[in-house]
Amino acid sequence: MSHDAMPHPALSRRSQALSGRVRVPGDKSISHRSLMFGGLASGETRITGLLEGEDVLRTADAMRAMGALIERQGDSWVIRGTGNGCLLEPEAPLDFGNAGTGARLTMGLVGTYEMTTRFVGDASLSKRPMGRVLDSLRQMGTQVLEAEAGNRLPITLRGPKHAAPITYRVPMASAQVKSAVLLAGLNTPGITTVIEPVMTRDHTEKMLAGFGAEIEVEKDAEGARHIRIKGQGDLKGQTIAVPGDPSSAAFPLVAALLVPGSDLTIQNVLMNPTRTGLILTLQEMGAEIELMNRRDAGGEEVADLRVRSSKLKGVTVPPERAPSMIDEYPVLAVAASFAEGETVMLGLEELRVKESDRLAAVAAGLKANGIDCTEGDASLSVRGRPDGKGFGGGTVATHLDHRIAMAFLVLGLATERPVTIDDASMIATSFPEFMELMTGLGATIEQRGEAG
Ligand code: S3P
């Protein structure tokens, strides 16, 4: 399954019990960062468990274009980095495809280099706001030589001779915005400080410390995190085992909850507390999810998740939980469709600027399949029905969004009538094995001929 211009529709049908033991691919956030930091550090970095999805492979290409040597050797990815401060000017534009994380973090990484770098992406990425990253870079001295209206791609950056260290308060809950400033700080003299009022995933901070960066985190009286990084230090290559992606595990997990009689185990899933909001929410809804064999794996907690089909009830998901489950709302909305009563999800403003406007895409997809929901400006309410009677039969517009595609294929495994999605090709950006893994567990998913 590859991401090309032709849409590839798919359809899922009510399935028999799902069972088995599976592993999901490596965490996408950690995979991007492993390649970036490995590509930047001096010496060798070895990565196992890397997500080999299209998004992450774009980051590998970008790092290669700036001087890193990156190759796959058996099960490992081996990198020889340039050394901090020694990236080379790329000869051609960096094409990040569908990947917001790759594009935004790399803008930070190169923004303080005195070189010219052009960023391009696909139709979805070209609609996404980049001003949130350019704002801090401009303060550090980066010139934006080219940008489409509203600070969108294609964008060309040129860094200053001497970047200025700044103190930057992140205006929205975004790990990408935080990370871009910290990465810009790596090539800036002195201390760059990021103030993060609402904590988001902390992989950049943790991993940079592992690579030897001088970075410290302190909480103030209001609970805001102050992250200080000292620029122009040495980074040294590391050995990294990427744990399974909780955002990918979410799909078989919710499928098992909804398909009667299911019992499955998803092994080696990242349990970093900035990423586990979905599990907490589903447990509050009554889901039987057992965290087994909790252990430390290279500085991150991982666990095996045993999931059994469960009766769910509606809950209110508070806005402060959003950063720890930001990519999981589409599939939570699917779970909520089968819960008794109403599920109210609050604080969803960031969903509007993901690979698609996910709030609108989810509400439209649910309605197309007979599910009662209300879309607010930054909220979604779903009034579920455990019997799912009359659900399904609709076609969902995925808007080049992998998580919309996977969430609605999960919906169709439990609805009375099948659910069709207009395009499954984007699934390859984050979870290339999705179809095989799900059908291997017993799910009925059919890929259709090309549309049109
Ligand atoms: C990510 C941060 C989140 C998330 C994305 C990955 C990261 O984006 O949605 O899938 O790896 O830093 P935002 O920072 O825009 O919330």
Side-chain angles (χ1 to χ4, degrees):
M1 189 166 49
S2 89
H3 160 206
D4 54 33
M6 263 310 190
H8 293 73
L11 171 148
S12 56
R13 297 180 192 280
R14 184 170 260 195
S15 296
Q16 300 299 314
L18 307 178
S19 64
R21 287 175 81 78
V22 285
R23 274 178 181 255
V24 290
D27 185 67
K28 183 149 75 79
S29 295
I30 295 180
S31 294
H32 278 298
R33 288 161 174 82
S34 299
L35 290 168
M36 280 181 194
F37 303 166
L40 188 65
S42 51
E44 190 177 275
T45 289
R46 282 189 166 262
I47 312 168
T48 50
L50 188 83
L51 163 63
E52 294 175 354
E54 289 176 8
D55 277 12
V56 171
L57 298 178
R58 300 285 180 147
T59 292
D61 287 343
M63 294 308 296
R64 283 188 185 112
M66 295 190 289
L69 298 176
I70 304 180
E71 56 175 34
R72 197 179 199 278
Q73 289 180 7
D75 286 347
S76 303
W77 284 76
V78 181
I79 307 180
R80 200 149 265 288
T82 58
N84 187 24
C86 300
L87 291 174
L88 302 175
E89 184 170 72
E91 283 170 5
L94 303 180
D95 184 350
F96 284 95
N98 194 248
T101 306
R104 293 200 178 110
L105 267 59
T106 306
M107 283 185 191
L109 192 64
V110 307
T112 47
Y113 277 72
E114 198 192 2
M115 63 187 196
T116 302
T117 315
R118 186 164 196 259
F119 293 80
V120 298
D122 73 2
S124 154
L125 189 57
S126 303
K127 282 192 207 149
R128 298 181 67 184
M130 298 294 158
R132 50 180 55 205
V133 172
L134 301 183
D135 180 37
S136 56
L137 290 178
R138 285 184 171 113
Q139 292 180 33
M140 296 175 94
T142 309
Q143 290 179 70
V144 179
L145 301 181
E146 173 206 14
E148 284 298 308
N151 289 311
R152 315 225 172 215
L153 298 185
I155 285 176
T156 304
L157 301 181
R158 182 156 186 92
K161 236 187 186 44
H162 302 289
I166 58 169
T167 294
Y168 190 75
R169 194 177 175 90
V170 185
M172 69 287 286
S174 168
Q176 293 176 0
V177 173
K178 161 178 70 178
S179 300
V181 185
L182 292 172
L183 298 188
L186 281 176
N187 192 42
T188 301
I191 309 276
T192 296
T193 304
V194 178
I195 303 175
E196 186 182 46
V198 180
M199 185 170 180
T200 60
R201 66 191 69 195
D202 59 355
H203 308 305
T204 299
E205 300 90 300
K206 277 185 146 174
M207 291 177 68
L208 281 179
F211 274 87
E214 283 187 49
I215 183 164
E216 54 175 46
V217 184
E218 210 179 26
K219 263 197 182 170
D220 68 20
E222 275 82 55
R225 298 170 78 233
H226 294 233
I227 310 159
R228 297 187 190 87
I229 186 157
K230 185 159 179 221
Q232 303 184 328
D234 282 344
L235 299 180
K236 289 213 166 49
Q238 297 297 307
T239 299
I240 300 170
V242 182
D245 194 330
S247 301
S248 297
F251 300 105
L253 190 149
V254 168
L257 291 175
L258 301 184
V259 175
S262 298
D263 182 352
L264 66 88
T265 301
I266 310 169
Q267 294 171 283
N268 195 42
V269 181
L270 175 69
M271 285 289 115
N272 178 312
T274 64
R275 302 288 302 280
T276 49
L278 177 74
I279 293 176
L280 175 64
T281 303
L282 290 170
Q283 285 173 333
E284 286 175 3
M285 293 171 80
E288 271 191 67
I289 305 171
E290 215 182 307
L291 273 52
M292 301 188 313
N293 196 12
R294 293 179 84 143
R295 59 204 184 269
D296 179 273
E300 288 286 6
E301 194 184 333
V302 299
D304 302 334
L305 307 181
R306 180 169 180 198
V307 195
R308 276 168 277 196
S309 51
S310 309
K311 279 196 166 50
L312 303 177
K313 61 176 177 18
V315 296
T316 295
V317 190
E320 61 274 13
R321 198 178 294 165
S324 67
M325 54 181 294
I326 193 65
D327 292 333
E328 282 69 82
Y329 285 101
V331 79
L332 174 64
V334 167
S337 303
F338 294 90
E340 184 76 59
E342 190 175 37
T343 297
V344 181
M345 302 164 228
L346 301 168
L348 304 189
E349 54 279 356
E350 281 293 307
L351 284 198
R352 300 243 179 238
V353 291
K354 294 295 174 190
E355 284 81 335
S356 67
D357 175 344
R358 279 190 183 152
L359 194 37
V362 169
L366 293 179
K367 285 178 187 161
N369 286 288
I371 295 153
D372 182 17
C373 65
T374 309
E375 175 190 347
D377 285 345
S379 66
L380 180 66
S381 304
V382 179
R383 288 163 289 279
R385 281 215 324 270
D387 63 7
K389 268 237 163 315
F391 286 178
T395 297
V396 176
T398 52
H399 302 285
L400 297 176
D401 189 329
H402 54 132
R403 298 203 200 278
I404 298 298
M406 290 185 276
F408 281 96
L409 287 176
V410 169
L411 178 73
L413 302 179
T415 48
E416 197 172 52
R417 287 176 292 158
V419 170
T420 303
I421 60 167
D422 65 353
D423 186 16
S425 50
M426 304 311 296
I427 292 173
T429 61
S430 71
F431 198 162
E433 308 86 334
F434 175 79
M435 296 289 189
E436 259 184 293
L437 182 141
M438 294 300 293
T439 51
L441 292 171
T444 308
I445 303 180
E446 297 157 20
Q447 303 197 53
R448 290 294 157 113
E450 282 161 7

PDB file of all heavy atoms in Angstrom, residues 345-364:
ATOM      1  N   MET A 345     -16.393  15.274  24.746  1.00  0.00           N
ATOM      2  CA  MET A 345     -14.939  15.499  24.657  1.00  0.00           C
ATOM      3  C   MET A 345     -14.694  16.994  24.528  1.00  0.00           C
ATOM      4  O   MET A 345     -15.218  17.633  23.612  1.00  0.00           O
ATOM      5  CB  MET A 345     -14.386  14.779  23.421  1.00  0.00           C
ATOM      6  CG  MET A 345     -14.659  13.290  23.443  1.00  0.00           C
ATOM      7  SD  MET A 345     -14.433  12.527  21.814  1.00  0.00           S
ATOM      8  CE  MET A 345     -15.945  11.571  21.693  1.00  0.00           C
ATOM      9  N   LEU A 346     -13.895  17.528  25.440  1.00  0.00           N
ATOM     10  CA  LEU A 346     -13.712  18.985  25.527  1.00  0.00           C
ATOM     11  C   LEU A 346     -12.257  19.361  25.245  1.00  0.00           C
ATOM     12  O   LEU A 346     -11.359  18.539  25.395  1.00  0.00           O
ATOM     13  CB  LEU A 346     -14.091  19.456  26.933  1.00  0.00           C
ATOM     14  CG  LEU A 346     -15.541  19.151  27.358  1.00  0.00           C
ATOM     15  CD1 LEU A 346     -15.719  19.388  28.853  1.00  0.00           C
ATOM     16  CD2 LEU A 346     -16.530  19.978  26.553  1.00  0.00           C
ATOM     17  N   GLY A 347     -12.052  20.611  24.858  1.00  0.00           N
ATOM     18  CA  GLY A 347     -10.685  21.124  24.665  1.00  0.00           C
ATOM     19  C   GLY A 347     -10.048  20.607  23.389  1.00  0.00           C
ATOM     20  O   GLY A 347      -8.856  20.317  23.347  1.00  0.00           O
ATOM     21  N   LEU A 348     -10.843  20.521  22.307  1.00  0.00           N
ATOM     22  CA  LEU A 348     -10.366  19.884  21.080  1.00  0.00           C
ATOM     23  C   LEU A 348      -9.892  20.869  20.009  1.00  0.00           C
ATOM     24  O   LEU A 348      -9.793  20.499  18.836  1.00  0.00           O
ATOM     25  CB  LEU A 348     -11.486  19.009  20.488  1.00  0.00           C
ATOM     26  CG  LEU A 348     -12.078  17.934  21.397  1.00  0.00           C
ATOM     27  CD1 LEU A 348     -12.997  17.011  20.603  1.00  0.00           C
ATOM     28  CD2 LEU A 348     -10.985  17.112  22.078  1.00  0.00           C
ATOM     29  N   GLU A 349      -9.580  22.115  20.381  1.00  0.00           N
ATOM     30  CA  GLU A 349      -9.252  23.104  19.341  1.00  0.00           C
ATOM     31  C   GLU A 349      -8.097  22.649  18.427  1.00  0.00           C
ATOM     32  O   GLU A 349      -8.105  22.916  17.233  1.00  0.00           O
ATOM     33  CB  GLU A 349      -8.989  24.501  19.931  1.00  0.00           C
ATOM     34  CG  GLU A 349      -7.951  24.606  21.028  1.00  0.00           C
ATOM     35  CD  GLU A 349      -8.480  24.217  22.415  1.00  0.00           C
ATOM     36  OE1 GLU A 349      -9.681  23.926  22.560  1.00  0.00           O
ATOM     37  OE2 GLU A 349      -7.666  24.184  23.356  1.00  0.00           O
ATOM     38  N   GLU A 350      -7.124  21.938  18.997  1.00  0.00           N
ATOM     39  CA  GLU A 350      -5.973  21.525  18.174  1.00  0.00           C
ATOM     40  C   GLU A 350      -6.351  20.472  17.120  1.00  0.00           C
ATOM     41  O   GLU A 350      -5.619  20.271  16.151  1.00  0.00           O
ATOM     42  CB  GLU A 350      -4.840  21.009  19.064  1.00  0.00           C
ATOM     43  CG  GLU A 350      -4.031  22.127  19.723  1.00  0.00           C
ATOM     44  CD  GLU A 350      -3.238  22.956  18.708  1.00  0.00           C
ATOM     45  OE1 GLU A 350      -2.493  22.394  17.914  1.00  0.00           O
ATOM     46  OE2 GLU A 350      -3.393  24.198  18.714  1.00  0.00           O
ATOM     47  N   LEU A 351      -7.489  19.802  17.312  1.00  0.00           N
ATOM     48  CA  LEU A 351      -7.900  18.791  16.323  1.00  0.00           C
ATOM     49  C   LEU A 351      -8.197  19.409  14.961  1.00  0.00           C
ATOM     50  O   LEU A 351      -8.177  18.727  13.950  1.00  0.00           O
ATOM     51  CB  LEU A 351      -9.161  18.050  16.783  1.00  0.00           C
ATOM     52  CG  LEU A 351      -9.036  17.001  17.868  1.00  0.00           C
ATOM     53  CD1 LEU A 351     -10.261  16.108  17.856  1.00  0.00           C
ATOM     54  CD2 LEU A 351      -7.796  16.153  17.669  1.00  0.00           C
ATOM     55  N   ARG A 352      -8.476  20.703  14.965  1.00  0.00           N
ATOM     56  CA  ARG A 352      -8.818  21.372  13.697  1.00  0.00           C
ATOM     57  C   ARG A 352      -7.615  21.539  12.777  1.00  0.00           C
ATOM     58  O   ARG A 352      -7.781  21.827  11.607  1.00  0.00           O
ATOM     59  CB  ARG A 352      -9.414  22.755  13.993  1.00  0.00           C
ATOM     60  CG  ARG A 352     -10.691  22.693  14.832  1.00  0.00           C
ATOM     61  CD  ARG A 352     -11.855  23.245  14.057  1.00  0.00           C
ATOM     62  NE  ARG A 352     -13.093  23.184  14.805  1.00  0.00           N
ATOM     63  CZ  ARG A 352     -14.172  22.532  14.358  1.00  0.00           C
ATOM     64  NH1 ARG A 352     -14.151  21.926  13.190  1.00  0.00           N
ATOM     65  NH2 ARG A 352     -15.272  22.520  15.063  1.00  0.00           N
ATOM     66  N   VAL A 353      -6.395  21.407  13.325  1.00  0.00           N
ATOM     67  CA  VAL A 353      -5.200  21.659  12.500  1.00  0.00           C
ATOM     68  C   VAL A 353      -4.293  20.422  12.398  1.00  0.00           C
ATOM     69  O   VAL A 353      -3.084  20.537  12.278  1.00  0.00           O
ATOM     70  CB  VAL A 353      -4.397  22.887  13.015  1.00  0.00           C
ATOM     71  CG1 VAL A 353      -5.191  24.163  12.771  1.00  0.00           C
ATOM     72  CG2 VAL A 353      -4.041  22.754  14.498  1.00  0.00           C
ATOM     73  N   LYS A 354      -4.908  19.261  12.449  1.00  0.00           N
ATOM     74  CA  LYS A 354      -4.130  18.025  12.249  1.00  0.00           C
ATOM     75  C   LYS A 354      -4.063  17.718  10.745  1.00  0.00           C
ATOM     76  O   LYS A 354      -4.303  18.597   9.930  1.00  0.00           O
ATOM     77  CB  LYS A 354      -4.774  16.895  13.054  1.00  0.00           C
ATOM     78  CG  LYS A 354      -4.685  17.114  14.565  1.00  0.00           C
ATOM     79  CD  LYS A 354      -3.258  17.097  15.036  1.00  0.00           C
ATOM     80  CE  LYS A 354      -3.139  17.460  16.494  1.00  0.00           C
ATOM     81  NZ  LYS A 354      -1.750  17.668  16.907  1.00  0.00           N
ATOM     82  N   GLU A 355      -3.790  16.455  10.390  1.00  0.00           N
ATOM     83  CA  GLU A 355      -3.675  16.096   8.974  1.00  0.00           C
ATOM     84  C   GLU A 355      -4.944  16.493   8.206  1.00  0.00           C
ATOM     85  O   GLU A 355      -4.923  16.701   7.003  1.00  0.00           O
ATOM     86  CB  GLU A 355      -3.389  14.602   8.831  1.00  0.00           C
ATOM     87  CG  GLU A 355      -1.951  14.200   9.161  1.00  0.00           C
ATOM     88  CD  GLU A 355      -1.641  14.044  10.637  1.00  0.00           C
ATOM     89  OE1 GLU A 355      -2.327  14.671  11.504  1.00  0.00           O
ATOM     90  OE2 GLU A 355      -0.693  13.296  10.961  1.00  0.00           O
ATOM     91  N   SER A 356      -6.069  16.531   8.936  1.00  0.00           N
ATOM     92  CA  SER A 356      -7.304  17.128   8.410  1.00  0.00           C
ATOM     93  C   SER A 356      -7.914  17.915   9.569  1.00  0.00           C
ATOM     94  O   SER A 356      -7.390  17.885  10.678  1.00  0.00           O
ATOM     95  CB  SER A 356      -8.281  16.031   7.968  1.00  0.00           C
ATOM     96  OG  SER A 356      -8.740  15.310   9.101  1.00  0.00           O
ATOM     97  N   ASP A 357      -9.030  18.591   9.306  1.00  0.00           N
ATOM     98  CA  ASP A 357      -9.820  19.131  10.423  1.00  0.00           C
ATOM     99  C   ASP A 357     -10.521  17.914  11.037  1.00  0.00           C
ATOM    100  O   ASP A 357     -11.590  17.503  10.612  1.00  0.00           O
ATOM    101  CB  ASP A 357     -10.831  20.153   9.896  1.00  0.00           C
ATOM    102  CG  ASP A 357     -11.768  20.661  11.000  1.00  0.00           C
ATOM    103  OD1 ASP A 357     -11.844  20.019  12.073  1.00  0.00           O
ATOM    104  OD2 ASP A 357     -12.432  21.684  10.774  1.00  0.00           O
ATOM    105  N   ARG A 358      -9.872  17.322  12.025  1.00  0.00           N
ATOM    106  CA  ARG A 358     -10.341  16.025  12.533  1.00  0.00           C
ATOM    107  C   ARG A 358     -11.675  16.122  13.244  1.00  0.00           C
ATOM    108  O   ARG A 358     -12.434  15.154  13.279  1.00  0.00           O
ATOM    109  CB  ARG A 358      -9.312  15.412  13.491  1.00  0.00           C
ATOM    110  CG  ARG A 358      -8.219  14.741  12.762  1.00  0.00           C
ATOM    111  CD  ARG A 358      -7.310  13.916  13.659  1.00  0.00           C
ATOM    112  NE  ARG A 358      -6.243  13.388  12.818  1.00  0.00           N
ATOM    113  CZ  ARG A 358      -5.031  13.092  13.227  1.00  0.00           C
ATOM    114  NH1 ARG A 358      -4.704  13.274  14.500  1.00  0.00           N
ATOM    115  NH2 ARG A 358      -4.136  12.601  12.389  1.00  0.00           N
ATOM    116  N   LEU A 359     -11.963  17.252  13.809  1.00  0.00           N
ATOM    117  CA  LEU A 359     -13.237  17.407  14.505  1.00  0.00           C
ATOM    118  C   LEU A 359     -14.374  17.319  13.480  1.00  0.00           C
ATOM    119  O   LEU A 359     -15.342  16.565  13.647  1.00  0.00           O
ATOM    120  CB  LEU A 359     -13.217  18.747  15.241  1.00  0.00           C
ATOM    121  CG  LEU A 359     -14.246  19.047  16.297  1.00  0.00           C
ATOM    122  CD1 LEU A 359     -14.591  17.837  17.128  1.00  0.00           C
ATOM    123  CD2 LEU A 359     -13.720  20.168  17.201  1.00  0.00           C
ATOM    124  N   ALA A 360     -14.231  18.061  12.393  1.00  0.00           N
ATOM    125  CA  ALA A 360     -15.257  18.037  11.341  1.00  0.00           C
ATOM    126  C   ALA A 360     -15.295  16.672  10.656  1.00  0.00           C
ATOM    127  O   ALA A 360     -16.379  16.140  10.380  1.00  0.00           O
ATOM    128  CB  ALA A 360     -14.966  19.139  10.319  1.00  0.00           C
ATOM    129  N   ALA A 361     -14.121  16.094  10.409  1.00  0.00           N
ATOM    130  CA  ALA A 361     -14.074  14.813   9.685  1.00  0.00           C
ATOM    131  C   ALA A 361     -14.717  13.693  10.510  1.00  0.00           C
ATOM    132  O   ALA A 361     -15.437  12.848   9.975  1.00  0.00           O
ATOM    133  CB  ALA A 361     -12.626  14.454   9.347  1.00  0.00           C
ATOM    134  N   VAL A 362     -14.477  13.701  11.821  1.00  0.00           N
ATOM    135  CA  VAL A 362     -15.057  12.656  12.674  1.00  0.00           C
ATOM    136  C   VAL A 362     -16.574  12.832  12.739  1.00  0.00           C
ATOM    137  O   VAL A 362     -17.328  11.866  12.565  1.00  0.00           O
ATOM    138  CB  VAL A 362     -14.447  12.699  14.094  1.00  0.00           C
ATOM    139  CG1 VAL A 362     -15.235  11.816  15.057  1.00  0.00           C
ATOM    140  CG2 VAL A 362     -12.992  12.254  14.054  1.00  0.00           C
ATOM    141  N   ALA A 363     -17.022  14.067  12.972  1.00  0.00           N
ATOM    142  CA  ALA A 363     -18.474  14.295  13.088  1.00  0.00           C
ATOM    143  C   ALA A 363     -19.167  13.893  11.788  1.00  0.00           C
ATOM    144  O   ALA A 363     -20.204  13.209  11.805  1.00  0.00           O
ATOM    145  CB  ALA A 363     -18.742  15.760  13.428  1.00  0.00           C
ATOM    146  N   ALA A 364     -18.584  14.261  10.643  1.00  0.00           N
ATOM    147  CA  ALA A 364     -19.208  13.914   9.352  1.00  0.00           C
ATOM    148  C   ALA A 364     -19.231  12.401   9.162  1.00  0.00           C
ATOM    149  O   ALA A 364     -20.237  11.837   8.696  1.00  0.00           O
ATOM    150  CB  ALA A 364     -18.441  14.593   8.212  1.00  0.00           C
TER     151      ALA A 364
END
